[in-house]
PDB file of all heavy atoms in Angstrom:
ATOM      1  N   PHE A 137     -38.632 -22.769-213.901  1.00 84.00           N
ATOM      2  CA  PHE A 137     -38.843 -22.119-215.161  1.00 84.00           C
ATOM      3  C   PHE A 137     -38.095 -22.723-216.251  1.00 84.00           C
ATOM      4  O   PHE A 137     -38.581 -22.826-217.371  1.00 84.00           O
ATOM      5  CB  PHE A 137     -38.344 -20.621-214.966  1.00 84.00           C
ATOM      6  CG  PHE A 137     -38.820 -19.750-216.132  1.00 84.00           C
ATOM      7  CD1 PHE A 137     -40.185 -19.361-216.175  1.00 84.00           C
ATOM      8  CD2 PHE A 137     -37.969 -19.355-217.089  1.00 84.00           C
ATOM      9  CE1 PHE A 137     -40.579 -18.564-217.200  1.00 84.00           C
ATOM     10  CE2 PHE A 137     -38.403 -18.539-218.134  1.00 84.00           C
ATOM     11  CZ  PHE A 137     -39.720 -18.122-218.222  1.00 84.00           C
ATOM     12  N   GLU A 138     -36.836 -23.149-216.033  1.00 89.00           N
ATOM     13  CA  GLU A 138     -36.000 -23.778-217.073  1.00 89.00           C
ATOM     14  C   GLU A 138     -36.614 -25.090-217.596  1.00 89.00           C
ATOM     15  O   GLU A 138     -36.218 -25.579-218.654  1.00 89.00           O
ATOM     16  CB  GLU A 138     -34.566 -24.113-216.515  1.00 89.00           C
ATOM     17  CG  GLU A 138     -33.969 -23.016-215.704  1.00 89.00           C
ATOM     18  CD  GLU A 138     -34.341 -23.156-214.276  1.00 89.00           C
ATOM     19  OE1 GLU A 138     -33.763 -23.938-213.541  1.00 89.00           O
ATOM     20  OE2 GLU A 138     -35.243 -22.376-213.878  1.00 89.00           O
ATOM     21  N   ASP A 139     -37.535 -25.611-216.825  1.00 92.00           N
ATOM     22  CA  ASP A 139     -38.061 -26.873-217.275  1.00 92.00           C
ATOM     23  C   ASP A 139     -39.069 -26.770-218.437  1.00 92.00           C
ATOM     24  O   ASP A 139     -39.336 -27.738-219.075  1.00 92.00           O
ATOM     25  CB  ASP A 139     -38.763 -27.583-216.069  1.00 92.00           C
ATOM     26  CG  ASP A 139     -37.858 -27.981-214.992  1.00 92.00           C
ATOM     27  OD1 ASP A 139     -36.687 -28.297-215.342  1.00 92.00           O
ATOM     28  OD2 ASP A 139     -38.304 -28.032-213.807  1.00 92.00           O
ATOM     29  N   ARG A 140     -39.488 -25.518-218.685  1.00 91.00           N
ATOM     30  CA  ARG A 140     -40.507 -25.382-219.717  1.00 91.00           C
ATOM     31  C   ARG A 140     -40.135 -25.964-221.054  1.00 91.00           C
ATOM     32  O   ARG A 140     -40.895 -26.640-221.707  1.00 91.00           O
ATOM     33  CB  ARG A 140     -40.839 -23.910-219.890  1.00 91.00           C
ATOM     34  CG  ARG A 140     -41.835 -23.386-218.841  1.00 91.00           C
ATOM     35  CD  ARG A 140     -42.273 -22.047-219.219  1.00 91.00           C
ATOM     36  NE  ARG A 140     -42.380 -21.801-220.590  1.00 91.00           N
ATOM     37  CZ  ARG A 140     -42.545 -20.599-221.167  1.00 91.00           C
ATOM     38  NH1 ARG A 140     -42.662 -19.562-220.403  1.00 91.00           N
ATOM     39  NH2 ARG A 140     -42.661 -20.496-222.507  1.00 91.00           N
ATOM     40  N   GLU A 141     -38.825 -25.731-221.370  1.00 92.00           N
ATOM     41  CA  GLU A 141     -38.295 -26.178-222.660  1.00 92.00           C
ATOM     42  C   GLU A 141     -38.516 -27.704-222.877  1.00 92.00           C
ATOM     43  O   GLU A 141     -39.204 -28.064-223.925  1.00 92.00           O
ATOM     44  CB  GLU A 141     -36.831 -25.887-222.604  1.00 92.00           C
ATOM     45  CG  GLU A 141     -36.135 -25.844-223.937  1.00 92.00           C
ATOM     46  CD  GLU A 141     -34.655 -25.421-223.793  1.00 92.00           C
ATOM     47  OE1 GLU A 141     -34.414 -24.772-222.700  1.00 92.00           O
ATOM     48  OE2 GLU A 141     -33.863 -25.686-224.645  1.00 92.00           O
ATOM     49  N   TRP A 142     -38.003 -28.522-222.034  1.00 94.00           N
ATOM     50  CA  TRP A 142     -38.103 -29.948-222.324  1.00 94.00           C
ATOM     51  C   TRP A 142     -39.535 -30.524-222.076  1.00 94.00           C
ATOM     52  O   TRP A 142     -39.977 -31.415-222.675  1.00 94.00           O
ATOM     53  CB  TRP A 142     -37.054 -30.780-221.558  1.00 94.00           C
ATOM     54  CG  TRP A 142     -37.140 -30.680-220.080  1.00 94.00           C
ATOM     55  CD1 TRP A 142     -36.518 -29.813-219.261  1.00 94.00           C
ATOM     56  CD2 TRP A 142     -37.821 -31.603-219.195  1.00 94.00           C
ATOM     57  NE1 TRP A 142     -36.795 -30.045-217.951  1.00 94.00           N
ATOM     58  CE2 TRP A 142     -37.598 -31.135-217.887  1.00 94.00           C
ATOM     59  CE3 TRP A 142     -38.617 -32.758-219.411  1.00 94.00           C
ATOM     60  CZ2 TRP A 142     -38.127 -31.784-216.751  1.00 94.00           C
ATOM     61  CZ3 TRP A 142     -39.170 -33.332-218.260  1.00 94.00           C
ATOM     62  CH2 TRP A 142     -38.918 -32.886-216.969  1.00 94.00           C
ATOM     63  N   LEU A 143     -40.225 -29.814-221.127  1.00 94.00           N
ATOM     64  CA  LEU A 143     -41.594 -30.229-220.846  1.00 94.00           C
ATOM     65  C   LEU A 143     -42.457 -30.081-222.099  1.00 94.00           C
ATOM     66  O   LEU A 143     -43.300 -30.930-222.408  1.00 94.00           O
ATOM     67  CB  LEU A 143     -42.197 -29.392-219.679  1.00 94.00           C
ATOM     68  CG  LEU A 143     -41.752 -29.841-218.315  1.00 94.00           C
ATOM     69  CD1 LEU A 143     -42.337 -28.950-217.272  1.00 94.00           C
ATOM     70  CD2 LEU A 143     -42.142 -31.293-218.054  1.00 94.00           C
ATOM     71  N   GLU A 144     -42.252 -29.031-222.752  1.00 90.00           N
ATOM     72  CA  GLU A 144     -43.026 -28.724-223.913  1.00 90.00           C
ATOM     73  C   GLU A 144     -42.900 -29.910-224.991  1.00 90.00           C
ATOM     74  O   GLU A 144     -43.890 -30.260-225.635  1.00 90.00           O
ATOM     75  CB  GLU A 144     -42.605 -27.405-224.590  1.00 90.00           C
ATOM     76  CG  GLU A 144     -43.708 -26.662-225.246  1.00 90.00           C
ATOM     77  CD  GLU A 144     -43.489 -25.157-225.154  1.00 90.00           C
ATOM     78  OE1 GLU A 144     -43.341 -24.642-224.077  1.00 90.00           O
ATOM     79  OE2 GLU A 144     -43.376 -24.539-226.199  1.00 90.00           O
ATOM     80  N   ARG A 145     -41.723 -30.344-225.131  1.00 91.00           N
ATOM     81  CA  ARG A 145     -41.465 -31.463-226.057  1.00 91.00           C
ATOM     82  C   ARG A 145     -41.972 -32.779-225.570  1.00 91.00           C
ATOM     83  O   ARG A 145     -42.663 -33.423-226.282  1.00 91.00           O
ATOM     84  CB  ARG A 145     -39.914 -31.506-226.249  1.00 91.00           C
ATOM     85  CG  ARG A 145     -39.434 -32.843-226.826  1.00 91.00           C
ATOM     86  CD  ARG A 145     -38.560 -32.672-228.022  1.00 91.00           C
ATOM     87  NE  ARG A 145     -37.850 -33.886-228.433  1.00 91.00           N
ATOM     88  CZ  ARG A 145     -38.469 -35.039-228.699  1.00 91.00           C
ATOM     89  NH1 ARG A 145     -39.767 -35.143-228.561  1.00 91.00           N
ATOM     90  NH2 ARG A 145     -37.806 -36.096-229.098  1.00 91.00           N
ATOM     91  N   TRP A 146     -41.669 -33.032-224.342  1.00 93.00           N
ATOM     92  CA  TRP A 146     -42.018 -34.395-223.807  1.00 93.00           C
ATOM     93  C   TRP A 146     -43.468 -34.524-223.281  1.00 93.00           C
ATOM     94  O   TRP A 146     -44.010 -35.581-223.286  1.00 93.00           O
ATOM     95  CB  TRP A 146     -41.040 -34.859-222.796  1.00 93.00           C
ATOM     96  CG  TRP A 146     -39.724 -35.185-223.382  1.00 93.00           C
ATOM     97  CD1 TRP A 146     -38.646 -34.374-223.459  1.00 93.00           C
ATOM     98  CD2 TRP A 146     -39.378 -36.386-224.085  1.00 93.00           C
ATOM     99  NE1 TRP A 146     -37.645 -35.029-224.173  1.00 93.00           N
ATOM    100  CE2 TRP A 146     -38.059 -36.283-224.510  1.00 93.00           C
ATOM    101  CE3 TRP A 146     -40.050 -37.560-224.346  1.00 93.00           C
ATOM    102  CZ2 TRP A 146     -37.430 -37.228-225.234  1.00 93.00           C
ATOM    103  CZ3 TRP A 146     -39.468 -38.533-225.057  1.00 93.00           C
ATOM    104  CH2 TRP A 146     -38.167 -38.383-225.402  1.00 93.00           C
ATOM    105  N   GLY A 147     -44.017 -33.376-222.950  1.00 92.00           N
ATOM    106  CA  GLY A 147     -45.378 -33.374-222.426  1.00 92.00           C
ATOM    107  C   GLY A 147     -46.412 -33.676-223.579  1.00 92.00           C
ATOM    108  O   GLY A 147     -47.612 -33.875-223.330  1.00 92.00           O
ATOM    109  N   GLN A 148     -45.860 -33.692-224.835  1.00 89.00           N
ATOM    110  CA  GLN A 148     -46.784 -34.108-225.932  1.00 89.00           C
ATOM    111  C   GLN A 148     -46.925 -35.608-226.009  1.00 89.00           C
ATOM    112  O   GLN A 148     -47.930 -36.153-226.242  1.00 89.00           O
ATOM    113  CB  GLN A 148     -46.142 -33.631-227.287  1.00 89.00           C
ATOM    114  CG  GLN A 148     -45.802 -32.186-227.314  1.00 89.00           C
ATOM    115  CD  GLN A 148     -47.035 -31.310-227.629  1.00 89.00           C
ATOM    116  OE1 GLN A 148     -48.026 -31.832-228.153  1.00 89.00           O
ATOM    117  NE2 GLN A 148     -46.951 -30.068-227.246  1.00 89.00           N
ATOM    118  N   GLU A 149     -45.777 -36.265-225.830  1.00 88.00           N
ATOM    119  CA  GLU A 149     -45.710 -37.754-226.026  1.00 88.00           C
ATOM    120  C   GLU A 149     -46.045 -38.553-224.761  1.00 88.00           C
ATOM    121  O   GLU A 149     -46.494 -39.701-224.873  1.00 88.00           O
ATOM    122  CB  GLU A 149     -44.325 -38.129-226.449  1.00 88.00           C
ATOM    123  CG  GLU A 149     -43.803 -37.247-227.586  1.00 88.00           C
ATOM    124  CD  GLU A 149     -42.549 -37.847-228.209  1.00 88.00           C
ATOM    125  OE1 GLU A 149     -42.141 -38.962-227.786  1.00 88.00           O
ATOM    126  OE2 GLU A 149     -42.070 -37.234-229.179  1.00 88.00           O
ATOM    127  N   THR A 150     -45.789 -37.929-223.592  1.00 94.00           N
ATOM    128  CA  THR A 150     -45.987 -38.636-222.370  1.00 94.00           C
ATOM    129  C   THR A 150     -46.821 -37.819-221.406  1.00 94.00           C
ATOM    130  O   THR A 150     -46.641 -36.585-221.356  1.00 94.00           O
ATOM    131  CB  THR A 150     -44.666 -38.920-221.706  1.00 94.00           C
ATOM    132  OG1 THR A 150     -43.710 -39.259-222.659  1.00 94.00           O
ATOM    133  CG2 THR A 150     -44.777 -40.110-220.667  1.00 94.00           C
ATOM    134  N   PRO A 151     -47.720 -38.461-220.687  1.00 97.00           N
ATOM    135  CA  PRO A 151     -48.483 -37.701-219.656  1.00 97.00           C
ATOM    136  C   PRO A 151     -47.627 -37.129-218.586  1.00 97.00           C
ATOM    137  O   PRO A 151     -46.833 -37.810-218.001  1.00 97.00           O
ATOM    138  CB  PRO A 151     -49.375 -38.745-219.073  1.00 97.00           C
ATOM    139  CG  PRO A 151     -49.530 -39.806-220.198  1.00 97.00           C
ATOM    140  CD  PRO A 151     -48.154 -39.885-220.848  1.00 97.00           C
ATOM    141  N   VAL A 152     -47.720 -35.793-218.408  1.00 97.00           N
ATOM    142  CA  VAL A 152     -46.963 -35.149-217.331  1.00 97.00           C
ATOM    143  C   VAL A 152     -47.923 -34.155-216.675  1.00 97.00           C
ATOM    144  O   VAL A 152     -48.668 -33.396-217.311  1.00 97.00           O
ATOM    145  CB  VAL A 152     -45.791 -34.308-217.913  1.00 97.00           C
ATOM    146  CG1 VAL A 152     -45.138 -33.549-216.719  1.00 97.00           C
ATOM    147  CG2 VAL A 152     -44.839 -35.153-218.637  1.00 97.00           C
ATOM    148  N   VAL A 153     -48.015 -34.198-215.335  1.00 97.00           N
ATOM    149  CA  VAL A 153     -48.830 -33.360-214.595  1.00 97.00           C
ATOM    150  C   VAL A 153     -47.936 -32.519-213.596  1.00 97.00           C
ATOM    151  O   VAL A 153     -47.011 -33.113-212.993  1.00 97.00           O
ATOM    152  CB  VAL A 153     -49.909 -34.104-213.801  1.00 97.00           C
ATOM    153  CG1 VAL A 153     -50.575 -33.228-212.743  1.00 97.00           C
ATOM    154  CG2 VAL A 153     -50.908 -34.793-214.703  1.00 97.00           C
ATOM    155  N   LEU A 154     -48.169 -31.284-213.560  1.00 96.00           N
ATOM    156  CA  LEU A 154     -47.391 -30.422-212.663  1.00 96.00           C
ATOM    157  C   LEU A 154     -47.994 -30.255-211.301  1.00 96.00           C
ATOM    158  O   LEU A 154     -49.253 -30.119-211.176  1.00 96.00           O
ATOM    159  CB  LEU A 154     -47.258 -29.002-213.285  1.00 96.00           C
ATOM    160  CG  LEU A 154     -46.632 -28.954-214.639  1.00 96.00           C
ATOM    161  CD1 LEU A 154     -46.583 -27.479-215.175  1.00 96.00           C
ATOM    162  CD2 LEU A 154     -45.284 -29.633-214.730  1.00 96.00           C
ATOM    163  N   LEU A 155     -47.191 -30.352-210.254  1.00 95.00           N
ATOM    164  CA  LEU A 155     -47.601 -30.083-208.903  1.00 95.00           C
ATOM    165  C   LEU A 155     -46.981 -28.813-208.543  1.00 95.00           C
ATOM    166  O   LEU A 155     -45.809 -28.756-208.342  1.00 95.00           O
ATOM    167  CB  LEU A 155     -47.215 -31.319-208.017  1.00 95.00           C
ATOM    168  CG  LEU A 155     -47.803 -31.305-206.606  1.00 95.00           C
ATOM    169  CD1 LEU A 155     -49.342 -31.342-206.661  1.00 95.00           C
ATOM    170  CD2 LEU A 155     -47.323 -32.532-205.885  1.00 95.00           C
ATOM    171  N   GLY A 156     -47.783 -27.798-208.424  1.00 90.00           N
ATOM    172  CA  GLY A 156     -47.340 -26.453-208.303  1.00 90.00           C
ATOM    173  C   GLY A 156     -47.588 -25.926-209.729  1.00 90.00           C
ATOM    174  O   GLY A 156     -48.152 -26.642-210.472  1.00 90.00           O
ATOM    175  N   HIS A 157     -47.117 -24.732-210.117  1.00 80.00           N
ATOM    176  CA  HIS A 157     -47.346 -24.445-211.543  1.00 80.00           C
ATOM    177  C   HIS A 157     -46.351 -23.510-212.120  1.00 80.00           C
ATOM    178  O   HIS A 157     -45.452 -23.046-211.558  1.00 80.00           O
ATOM    179  CB  HIS A 157     -48.782 -24.064-211.800  1.00 80.00           C
ATOM    180  CG  HIS A 157     -49.199 -22.739-211.338  1.00 80.00           C
ATOM    181  ND1 HIS A 157     -49.714 -22.540-210.146  1.00 80.00           N
ATOM    182  CD2 HIS A 157     -49.130 -21.517-211.990  1.00 80.00           C
ATOM    183  CE1 HIS A 157     -49.944 -21.225-210.053  1.00 80.00           C
ATOM    184  NE2 HIS A 157     -49.659 -20.643-211.122  1.00 80.00           N
ATOM    185  N   LEU A 158     -46.563 -23.406-213.476  1.00 85.00           N
ATOM    186  CA  LEU A 158     -45.590 -22.868-214.335  1.00 85.00           C
ATOM    187  C   LEU A 158     -46.324 -21.970-215.315  1.00 85.00           C
ATOM    188  O   LEU A 158     -47.243 -22.356-215.982  1.00 85.00           O
ATOM    189  CB  LEU A 158     -44.972 -24.067-215.142  1.00 85.00           C
ATOM    190  CG  LEU A 158     -43.581 -23.933-215.654  1.00 85.00           C
ATOM    191  CD1 LEU A 158     -42.634 -23.458-214.583  1.00 85.00           C
ATOM    192  CD2 LEU A 158     -43.112 -25.303-216.258  1.00 85.00           C
ATOM    193  N   ALA A 159     -45.850 -20.689-215.353  1.00 82.00           N
ATOM    194  CA  ALA A 159     -46.551 -19.722-216.212  1.00 82.00           C
ATOM    195  C   ALA A 159     -46.522 -20.179-217.663  1.00 82.00           C
ATOM    196  O   ALA A 159     -45.510 -20.769-218.118  1.00 82.00           O
ATOM    197  CB  ALA A 159     -45.884 -18.348-216.095  1.00 82.00           C
ATOM    198  N   ASN A 160     -47.600 -19.914-218.367  1.00 82.00           N
ATOM    199  CA  ASN A 160     -47.637 -20.198-219.806  1.00 82.00           C
ATOM    200  C   ASN A 160     -47.472 -21.651-220.196  1.00 82.00           C
ATOM    201  O   ASN A 160     -47.122 -21.931-221.274  1.00 82.00           O
ATOM    202  CB  ASN A 160     -46.587 -19.415-220.601  1.00 82.00           C
ATOM    203  CG  ASN A 160     -46.923 -17.923-220.477  1.00 82.00           C
ATOM    204  OD1 ASN A 160     -47.964 -17.505-220.119  1.00 82.00           O
ATOM    205  ND2 ASN A 160     -45.812 -17.121-220.702  1.00 82.00           N
ATOM    206  N   SER A 161     -47.732 -22.547-219.272  1.00 89.00           N
ATOM    207  CA  SER A 161     -47.563 -23.906-219.645  1.00 89.00           C
ATOM    208  C   SER A 161     -48.972 -24.556-219.876  1.00 89.00           C
ATOM    209  O   SER A 161     -49.943 -24.214-219.129  1.00 89.00           O
ATOM    210  CB  SER A 161     -46.903 -24.761-218.577  1.00 89.00           C
ATOM    211  OG  SER A 161     -46.995 -26.098-218.790  1.00 89.00           O
ATOM    212  N   ALA A 162     -49.074 -25.323-220.915  1.00 90.00           N
ATOM    213  CA  ALA A 162     -50.326 -25.893-221.239  1.00 90.00           C
ATOM    214  C   ALA A 162     -50.638 -27.156-220.454  1.00 90.00           C
ATOM    215  O   ALA A 162     -51.665 -27.736-220.491  1.00 90.00           O
ATOM    216  CB  ALA A 162     -50.469 -26.156-222.756  1.00 90.00           C
ATOM    217  N   LEU A 163     -49.640 -27.649-219.812  1.00 94.00           N
ATOM    218  CA  LEU A 163     -49.767 -28.912-219.070  1.00 94.00           C
ATOM    219  C   LEU A 163     -50.755 -28.808-217.925  1.00 94.00           C
ATOM    220  O   LEU A 163     -50.873 -27.760-217.291  1.00 94.00           O
ATOM    221  CB  LEU A 163     -48.372 -29.293-218.505  1.00 94.00           C
ATOM    222  CG  LEU A 163     -47.375 -29.712-219.488  1.00 94.00           C
ATOM    223  CD1 LEU A 163     -46.010 -29.950-218.857  1.00 94.00           C
ATOM    224  CD2 LEU A 163     -47.801 -30.947-220.271  1.00 94.00           C
ATOM    225  N   PRO A 164     -51.456 -29.868-217.660  1.00 96.00           N
ATOM    226  CA  PRO A 164     -52.413 -29.819-216.576  1.00 96.00           C
ATOM    227  C   PRO A 164     -51.558 -29.729-215.245  1.00 96.00           C
ATOM    228  O   PRO A 164     -50.497 -30.237-215.139  1.00 96.00           O
ATOM    229  CB  PRO A 164     -53.064 -31.265-216.702  1.00 96.00           C
ATOM    230  CG  PRO A 164     -52.327 -32.007-217.627  1.00 96.00           C
ATOM    231  CD  PRO A 164     -51.524 -31.124-218.481  1.00 96.00           C
TER     232      PRO A 164
END
Side-chain angles (χ1 to χ4, degrees):
Chain A
F137 194 75
E138 314 88 81
D139 293 330
R140 278 189 35 190
E141 199 174 339
W142 63 271
L143 281 177
E144 211 147 302
R145 158 130 170 54
W146 288 98
Q148 306 279 337
E149 314 193 358
T150 322
V152 179
V153 170
L154 304 180
L155 192 55
H157 73 269
L158 206 52
N160 297 339
S161 168
L163 292 174

